[in-house]
Amino acid sequence: MSESLVDTELVVASRYRGPARSGNGGYTCGALAALAPDDWTAVSVRLSQPPPLDVAMTVTRSDGLLVASWDGAEVARATRADSDPEPVQPVEPDTARTASASYAGLTSHPFPTCFSCGTGREPGDGLRVFPGPVGDGRVAATWTPDASVAGDWHEYRDAAREVGHAVTWAALDCAGGWAADIGERLMVLGTMTARLYSLPVVGVEHVVVGEGREESGRKRMSASSLYTADGRLVGAAEHVWIAVDPADFN
């Protein structure tokens, strides 16, 4: 099997944490997916352990596979997805904005430090995507990207300042977790599959919608989608969440 180093290292900075001592799953998956070939329109990333913070992970490519490793152990692996994620149906921005007031994480949050949905993160630091129930097993929130999460210029698809790939995956992450009842049963992201049709524009309101799907043993499945305020699909994701022991995160 041939193997070669990708021409960059993958570092998850502490700003992009989920639990207090490890990286946000969606951000980590998106950072690895951003290194995938252009013809991987949808990418599936499996996390093998909590992503370490502020260390340089080695990324190798072999036979249609990207693997991020640290200290000799695999952290995440990315492959081309067999199919695109099925989008969650959108809701109106007013509905999503109202739903955020009923976000379960405002009362009790398993990971208040989470970059995506943590209530302990200040505006402009975390994304503060607070999805509340909108019926039919769905949750929704609005999100206006801060200038601090703008991607590098080479990630832009047009003249507008756009959010980077990894942060966009992070925005698609936790709505699925709350739709899968992470507040009732502690879970972490195991696998995330996503396709980005465009990138969110900085300073413009968007709508994030999540939906719980099937359950199997310790695993729960969910999906999420990101829309512009006028209903254009920006990205869609599907998730597998794995129940964990709370003692592992104390």
Side-chain angles (χ1 to χ4, degrees), residues 85-171:
E86 180 182 348
V88 181
Q89 290 300 305
V91 301
E92 292 295 325
D94 286 348
T95 300
R97 209 175 295 116
T98 299
S100 288
S102 300
Y103 173 47
L106 294 172
T107 302
S108 177
H109 200 301
F111 302 122
T113 59
C114 179
F115 172 66
S116 177
C117 69
T119 52
R121 305 296 294 266
E122 294 297 322
D125 175 34
L127 302 186
R128 295 175 61 86
V129 177
F130 294 166
V134 293
D136 298 325
R138 293 182 298 162
V139 297
T142 56
W143 172 50
T144 301
D146 184 77
S148 66
V149 297
D152 294 334
W153 67 269
H154 64 271
E155 292 187 89
Y156 297 175
R157 301 187 183 188
D158 53 39
R161 290 190 77 193
E162 297 172 334
V163 176
H165 285 73
V167 172
T168 304
W169 277 60

Side-chain angles (χ1 to χ4, degrees), residues 25-44:
Y27 181 91
T28 305
C29 291
L32 186 58
L35 302 176
D38 290 341
D39 62 351
W40 291 17
T41 53
V43 181
S44 183

